Amino acid sequence: IIYRTLVQIPLFQNETTRPVAQMIASMSGAMVNLFLIMLLGRVYEKLALKLTTWEMHRTQSEFDDNLTFKVFLFQFINFYSSIFYIAFFKGRFVGYPGRYKHIFGNLRNEDCSNGGCLIELAQQLAVIMVGKQIINNAQEILIPKIKGWWHNKKLEHIGESRMEMDYKLVENEGLFQEYLEMVLQFGFITIFVAAFPLAPFFALLNNWVEIRLDAQKFVCETRRAVAERAENIGIWFKILDMLAQFAVITNAFLIAFTSEFIPKLVYKYGH
């Protein structure tokens, strides 16, 4: 919020950039926000692991379910808090002419543009969702290659057997990150689809790329995963069910309070 407010001041003072000042501040703010989200995501995962370890659960399944729920909760707040702010809180506490509310002295609390908060919400969603997908795909390409190269440097031998070459492959870390990525993507394409209808299309493109990247990763760069019996997908199903129900309420609120859909209908048929 403070970044967007500070960036808008010099942009508004310049006559050339004045018409696009709010859009530039919003888009650049979303990019800064994305960088901090990806950075803090790693911190929250380590924190969730530490908290779950302290709880000392009796069984491995209890430990896994609690760890999964904590990681999802942290990441849900991490990814969606700024979007919820723009959708439901931005511009609600500005005040009125002569009695504007300020932050840090002379900085006036930010308001939505003339087009409403829905446009800025769509911009924020596009940057965070698409940016996250690009960063994750880049990591899936680069990180196994870097790990494999470093591992090979440490275990480099001449005339090694096929078993030794397979041993040098990067260790398979399971499907936890895959599930987490899909659940967060499901949240983007359901919770705020009324504001950003292109979200399912970008998710489809990402999943098509993801299938090819995962195929490359599992076939060529990681060790074969150890098969484990599983009754179902565990607590992920409850999380998906909760997101689906939450999405209905959120989209209804978006249409009712954030968009201009209902005021336009009232104006059209009430006058």
Side-chain angles (χ1 to χ4, degrees):
I1 296 168
I2 295 167
Y3 169 84
R4 282 197 296 261
T5 307
L6 290 172
V7 166
Q8 283 184 56
I9 294 170
L11 291 173
F12 271 117
Q13 290 171 349
N14 189 328
E15 290 186 7
T16 309
T17 57
R18 187 175 298 164
V20 292
Q22 196 147 11
M23 188 186 75
I24 292 172
S26 174
M27 294 294 283
S28 61
M31 290 176 185
V32 172
N33 192 25
L34 173 65
F35 172 75
L36 291 173
I37 284 171
M38 300 305 290
L39 187 67
L40 289 172
R42 300 295 181 187
V43 176
Y44 290 142
E45 286 182 17
K46 293 184 185 300
L47 179 61
L49 179 61
K50 195 76 174 174
L51 290 172
T52 312
T53 306
W54 283 347
E55 290 171 354
M56 294 195 298
H57 295 284
R58 289 178 64 252
T59 62
Q60 184 64 40
S61 59
E62 284 181 11
F63 178 88
D64 292 341
D65 285 348
N66 280 274
L67 175 62
T68 300
F69 183 73
K70 283 186 183 64
V71 171
F72 169 75
L73 195 62
F74 279 133
Q75 296 289 35
F76 183 89
I77 297 168
N78 187 29
F79 276 94
Y80 302 136
S81 57
S82 61
I83 301 170
F84 271 101
Y85 163 73
I86 293 171
F88 301 117
F89 298 103
K90 186 177 179 180
R92 302 284 193 271
F93 311 104
V94 177
Y96 52 87
R99 293 292 299 273
Y100 288 119
K101 295 182 181 178
H102 293 78
I103 51 173
F104 291 98
N106 297 324
L107 292 179
R108 178 185 156 190
N109 206 342
E110 64 174 358
D111 196 2
C112 294
S113 62
N114 294 331
C117 283
L118 209 63
I119 295 172
E120 189 175 336
L121 179 61
Q123 293 171 349
Q124 188 89 359
L125 273 165
V127 171
I128 292 177
M129 179 183 171
V130 177
K132 173 185 173 295
Q133 291 173 349
I134 292 170
I135 291 171
N136 282 344
N137 289 338
Q139 285 178 337
E140 288 204 13
I141 294 170
L142 295 174
I143 290 177
K145 289 187 183 298
I146 294 169
K147 281 184 177 178
W149 175 82
W150 179 249
H151 200 53
N152 287 343
K153 289 294 285 182
K154 290 193 294 184
L155 299 172
E156 201 162 29
H157 294 290
I158 300 172
E160 57 193 11
S161 66
R162 179 68 193 178
M163 185 168 23
E164 289 171 325
M165 290 170 65
D166 288 343
Y167 178 75
K168 290 181 183 180
L169 294 175
V170 181
E171 188 175 354
N172 196 302
E173 295 176 350
L175 295 174
F176 182 84
Q177 289 298 330
E178 308 289 336
Y179 273 125
L180 181 62
E181 190 177 341
M182 290 295 105
V183 167
L184 289 173
Q185 185 188 84
F186 180 74
F188 278 116
I189 65 175
T190 54
I191 297 176
F192 304 102
V193 71
F196 188 45
L198 281 174
F201 173 71
F202 284 114
L204 179 65
L205 288 180
N206 174 71
N207 290 346
W208 180 74
V209 174
E210 188 85 16
I211 288 171
R212 305 316 309 159
L213 289 178
D214 284 344
Q216 171 72 15
K217 181 174 69 175
F218 286 123
V219 172
C220 302
E221 291 164 358
T222 62
R223 297 178 194 168
R224 181 178 293 180
V226 178
E228 294 181 17
R229 283 182 175 270
E231 185 180 356
N232 47 41
I233 61 173
I235 199 170
W236 290 114
F237 181 79
K238 292 180 181 177
I239 290 172
L240 287 168
D241 185 52
M242 179 191 72
L243 279 177
Q245 296 182 39
F246 185 59
V248 177
I249 300 167
T250 308
N251 281 292
F253 273 50
L254 277 175
I255 294 168
F257 300 116
T258 309
S259 74
E260 301 294 323
F261 179 72
I262 291 177
K264 283 179 179 177
L265 281 180
V266 173
Y267 182 80
K268 183 178 180 180
Y269 295 109
H271 292 76

